[in-house]
Amino acid sequence: MATEEGKFELIKAWQLLGGYEQVEQAYLDTLAKVETWESTRDKAGLIRSMAGFFMQLGLQKGARSLYERLLEALENKYKEEYSTIVYHHRHYTYKRQCVHLEVLEVIIQLGLVCRSLGELDDARKYLYDVISRMNKIRTPAQKLQLVKALLGLGSVLRLQEKAEQAKGYLKRAQEIATDILGKNHHYVAAIVGQIGELSYGQGRLEDGLIHHLWDMQLTQNEVGLSHPRVGAILNNIALVYDDKNDKLAGDLFKGVLNIMVQAYGQNHVDVAVVRYNLGAFLFANNLFERARYQFNEALRIFQLFLGGDHPDTKSTTAALEKLKAFVN
């Protein structure tokens, strides 16, 4: 569970058992049995790996609960030895905060989980908290952690439709990462991809496409063509072609769906996202029955993992309502 390869092996095993519905309770029951472990490091490592696995499966609520639990334990462990004074610019107050790398990493992950859950205000709070704590950055590891926080905050602001603020954070993340890793590193490419998503959201389709293709080239060189990360980039490229009314979008969405299903099985949030996009493409091309199937499958998965109040669930429900005017 601690490595990406190990996580994919576990994913395949749970697919054989019928899906992910039992995963959360099974692992939490196991965790409860090891609460008496003497080694706090081993316990923290287990919780961290478990939370990351939950995130990959789309079990975001369980992941958030584990990260909150882990954060409390790590802050209590490190707060005396690793702390700094943080100034709150709105309240004009000073507060001592823990700055251990493990603590900051957990706060970043909490921000990313909240983003996935659609709880954007909480996500922004966590990610800004990390950035405000990092007031003495010296090592490459600290700089890359700052990049991760900047990247996360930029993505949250993009979702909140604060494009100019988002662009500032993403560009700063790109500058720091490029300085440390070089412009051809796949992590820099991922940042470029996020800038491409921002351009797409602003209607600058050609600019967005250029960024996504750069991201695609570097990422596929790193992980191959069948990896979910490549699938996510292809999904973004398909969205651009869809907005350009290019039929290639449909073939790309189908290819992405195949990649995601092969990696995660049918019941996964990333699969649902692609099904929604494919459904929208089919709807726009008057293939109403096929569109309804994709929307229904997407809605089933969103409701299962995200609940009825999540923006993705609501968007899919609205799409099905619009579709009723065209099919019986």
Side-chain angles (χ1 to χ4, degrees):
M1 192 185 291
T3 66
E4 188 164 351
E5 292 78 9
K7 288 176 183 176
F8 274 110
E9 288 300 318
L10 283 171
I11 288 170
K12 293 298 183 185
W14 279 104
Q15 287 178 28
L16 291 174
L17 291 173
Y20 308 133
E21 290 79 2
Q22 303 175 49
V23 171
E24 187 171 340
Q25 193 57 51
Y27 282 111
L28 291 178
D29 287 346
T30 301
L31 182 61
K33 295 176 182 178
V34 299
E35 288 295 351
T36 57
W37 283 8
E38 293 182 2
S39 174
T40 303
R41 177 175 294 276
D42 287 345
K43 190 189 302 182
L46 176 63
I47 296 174
R48 184 183 296 106
S49 296
M50 196 177 292
F53 186 52
F54 280 13
M55 284 186 70
Q56 196 160 3
L57 292 182
L59 303 171
Q60 307 295 348
K61 293 180 181 178
R64 179 174 185 177
S65 176
L66 286 172
Y67 277 129
E68 287 172 344
R69 182 175 176 178
L70 182 59
L71 178 60
E72 182 179 4
L74 291 177
E75 286 204 297
N76 288 334
K77 179 180 179 180
Y78 293 121
K79 65 182 179 182
E80 295 300 327
E81 189 175 356
Y82 299 90
S83 63
T84 190
I85 302 297
V86 177
Y87 175 68
H88 196 293
H89 69 285
R90 289 185 179 177
H91 298 158
Y92 306 105
T93 58
Y94 293 89
K95 185 177 181 180
R96 183 172 293 276
Q97 300 275 40
C98 183
V99 292
H100 192 277
L101 286 177
E102 289 186 41
V103 171
L104 297 180
E105 181 62 29
V106 172
I107 300 173
I108 291 172
Q109 293 304 321
L110 270 169
L112 299 181
V113 169
C114 289
R115 181 191 64 188
S116 296
L117 287 168
E119 297 169 1
L120 300 182
D121 288 337
D122 284 349
R124 185 172 62 177
K125 179 190 71 175
Y126 279 123
L127 292 163
Y128 185 79
D129 182 25
V130 171
I131 294 169
S132 66
R133 294 188 191 203
M134 301 187 75
N135 52 18
K136 294 180 181 179
I137 300 173
R138 299 185 179 90
T139 68
Q142 289 174 318
K143 291 179 181 179
L144 287 175
Q145 196 165 49
L146 176 61
V147 168
K148 188 181 291 186
L150 290 169
L151 190 57
L153 185 55
S155 68
V156 170
L157 291 169
R158 176 175 59 82
L159 291 172
Q160 292 184 316
E161 299 182 351
K162 298 179 180 179
E164 289 307 312
Q165 293 182 51
K167 186 175 181 179
Y169 284 110
L170 294 175
K171 285 290 189 181
R172 183 57 181 151
Q174 183 184 9
E175 290 170 3
I176 299 171
T178 301
D179 184 57
I180 299 170
L181 302 171
K183 66 178 182 179
N184 293 324
H185 194 277
H186 67 88
Y187 190 54
V188 176
I191 300 173
V192 170
Q194 285 228 22
I195 296 173
E197 290 183 53
L198 183 63
S199 296
Y200 169 75
Q202 294 177 307
R204 295 185 288 118
L205 301 183
E206 293 300 331
D207 186 57
L209 184 59
I210 289 169
H211 283 86
H212 290 319
L213 290 173
W214 182 10
D215 186 9
M216 176 72 182
Q217 179 181 353
L218 295 180
T219 302
Q220 75 173 22
N221 289 340
E222 179 74 18
V223 300
L225 282 171
S226 60
H227 197 282
R229 277 165 52 192
V230 172
I233 300 167
L234 283 171
N235 181 69
N236 289 331
I237 292 172
L239 288 170
V240 174
Y241 278 115
D242 194 16
D243 272 25
K244 295 172 70 174
N245 296 317
D246 192 318
K247 300 298 183 183
L248 177 61
D251 293 332
L252 287 172
F253 284 134
K254 292 173 186 175
V256 174
L257 182 59
N258 183 61
I259 291 173
M260 294 304 189
V261 170
Q262 288 296 317
Y264 297 128
Q266 294 290 349
N267 294 334
H268 192 278
V269 171
D270 288 352
V271 173
V273 169
V274 182
R275 286 198 182 280
Y276 174 84
N277 291 336
L278 177 57
F281 171 83
L282 295 169
F283 190 179
N285 285 276
N286 301 323
L287 299 169
F288 302 126
E289 288 293 346
R290 292 166 63 184
R292 180 165 64 177
Y293 172 78
Q294 298 298 338
F295 286 145
N296 277 328
E297 281 295 291
L299 181 62
R300 178 182 63 80
I301 300 169
F302 286 143
Q303 288 177 331
L304 181 64
F305 289 103
L306 302 178
D309 292 331
H310 192 277
D312 289 345
T313 309
K314 292 179 178 179
S315 295
T316 311
T317 302
L320 281 166
E321 284 296 319
K322 290 179 182 178
L323 196 56
K324 285 180 180 179
F326 300 93
V327 292
N328 295 325

